[in-house]
Amino acid sequence: MGILAWIIIGLLAGAIAKALMPGKDPGGIIITMLIGIAGGLLGGWLGKVAFGVDSIDGFFELSTWIAAIAGSVILLALYRLVTGSRRHSHRHA
């Protein structure tokens, strides 16, 4: 897949992850896109390690989207943990 396809998948997977995990998140569309792109890579890697399959096959493959969304949800949860703990520590200071 080309870089444009990764950006589109990243943007959409990040937006879907945010829709699946509603709540207030710091960061805008760039953070969403970066979480989605990294989530796609993470999801593809996890699919290969856990199930021995190449889950990043092509733009229109369901496995690509599932891997990207699953990875994005994981990264969004981690992002919220990291940024949430920073915000709480500043409030108590």
Side-chain angles (χ1 to χ4, degrees), residues 58-74:
F59 187 83
F60 294 107
E61 296 292 325
L62 183 60
S63 62
T64 299
W65 288 93
I66 291 172
I69 293 167
S72 296
V73 167
I74 292 168

Side-chain angles (χ1 to χ4, degrees), residues 42-57 63 67:
L42 175 65
W45 179 78
L46 288 174
K48 190 160 194 90
V49 169
F51 304 112
V53 296
D54 190 16
S55 55
I56 305 293
D57 290 330
S63 62

Side-chain angles (χ1 to χ4, degrees), residues 12-22 35 68-69 71-74 76 80:
L12 294 174
I16 292 169
K18 279 192 175 186
L20 291 174
M21 297 178 62
I35 287 174
I69 293 167
S72 296
V73 167
I74 292 168
L76 181 58
R80 285 182 178 178

